[in-house]
Amino acid sequence: MATKILLVEDSDTQLKFLKEGLEASGFEVETATNGSEAYKKVYSCTPDIVVSDIMMPAIDGYHLCRMIKNVEETKKIPVILLTILEKKIDGFWGKKAGAQLFLSKSIDIKELVSNINATVRRYPVPEEYKKALAAKEDLDNSAQTRLNSILNDLLMKSVFSNEFRNLSDFLNYERILVEKLFSLLSSFVEYHAAGIYFASPDDFAQNILYIDTLGRNLSKNLLSDINYDFFRKMEDHKTIKDSKFEVVRMLLGKELDYNFSDLTSKIIIPLVFDKKLIGGICFYTRQEVDYSSFKYFDIMISELLAIFKMKYQYTEKEFMSVLDGLTGLYNRRQFEIGLEQEHNRTKRHPSDFSLAILDIDFFKKVNDTYGHQYGDYVLKTVADLMKQSFRKTDLLYRYGGEELIMIMPETNIEGAIIPVQRLRRMVEEYDFEYNGVKAKVTVSIGLTMNYQKFATAADILKSADDALYEAKEGGRNRVVLHEQ
């Protein structure tokens, strides 16, 4: 059976020349002199390929190609565009319209035949597909109606995407960004409650689900249930140690008697990039809603992912500037800032805080015996044990070398000794093993607090350092308290 070509050309001379040349090469050729006629003939003659001029009045070749590629019943039919245009942008636009090839009108007929044969071989149209297309011939396949629908859809997608992209100006202002996102999402998504969560590269950062109720006064129990339900889903991608919710806009007044079971439809979407959870969104409603059937759902998720990715990367950049790269603890510069801030805070609002300095015993010997990679492994492991031993409100630092520091706000010496001793025992009992080499490690710790006799933050640090010296001189693997 001969390959059927739909040839579209508004010039009678050019149309006759091409038709004769293609028929002489064994093709069956159906013709159309404009885009509107061609679109109807796609249904009536079900071609194997469309070869169309670009420069035509009203509906040009670009629009015809986009119309063919925009619907399921015709999208498999390959399209070759012929043109006198030679700029790169013209070829780019042709490809974006969905054309398989973009050829010059000055091409030799033999070369055109060769390209048509190669394209038909590469993109064959199944007979079943053509039969299904022919069966749809009686539908309203007005070219102008289809073109208007496509152009409106493209415009809507463009406007939709731009609305999200304009929010990138607020990446540094999380609460404003959240409010802007809810304002946008609520304009086209049905919900009674929605949530936005930005994940942080800081494991100690609090996990907050921002909830929008569209001004409805929902009960704390219901909001807590939404918070629990949402973060349970996030647990598939990241361990969530603790979480809370904040309501962005909720009016005071009579509390609505909604229960969690009343929210009959929901969707929870983790946003993941490079195998890392960077955030998530959720929608809950009392109506029967299939959120995934929303026309621009995929575009919405794509644009949200882009915003969340930029937000995460900005936060990560800021976060990494204050971290020690090996241990993941705050660096020495941040310790100096943190100690000064905590000292000043407790002077303005009298309260206790404790400070401990940890030194890994015989660390030089570990490096000399097992190598520096083993030493790095020990340092990082001790830092990880620190993170397990202390509260999220405690501040952990790498001061330098093998010295690590803990600041414990709102904690007196009696309260501080408990986690400090726990950490010392955890290190002592831990089985260190790297590249098959096992070792035992201990730590010495000096502990102090902001006693009244200390006039400056430097005095507090020195007292902890003195206590550490005593711990090392006293035999190591022990905690020594500064004596007031």
Side-chain angles (χ1 to χ4, degrees), residues 174 197-207 238 276-279 308-309 311-323 328 330 387:
E174 183 165 298
Y197 161 62
F198 294 111
S200 172
D202 183 358
D203 291 335
F204 284 83
Q206 193 155 39
N207 298 292
K238 177 182 178 181
K276 291 185 290 190
L277 180 71
I278 60 176
F308 277 65
K309 176 183 170 184
K311 175 76 168 62
Y312 187 89
Q313 289 176 333
Y314 174 82
T315 304
E316 189 174 47
K317 182 179 178 181
E318 294 291 304
F319 180 58
M320 293 306 292
S321 69
V322 301
L323 286 187
Y330 292 115
K387 294 173 186 177

Side-chain angles (χ1 to χ4, degrees), residues 2 6 16 22 37 47 79 98 154 157 161 164 181 191 216 229 234 315 322 362 381 422 424 442 452 458:
L6 174 57
K16 181 180 179 182
L22 293 173
E37 181 187 5
V79 176
L154 288 173
K157 288 178 179 178
S161 296
F164 280 100
L181 276 170
Y191 63 80
R216 302 180 181 95
D229 190 47
M234 297 300 108
T315 304
V322 301
F362 303 111
T381 303
R422 179 169 61 237
R424 183 197 62 77
T442 60
Q452 289 185 357

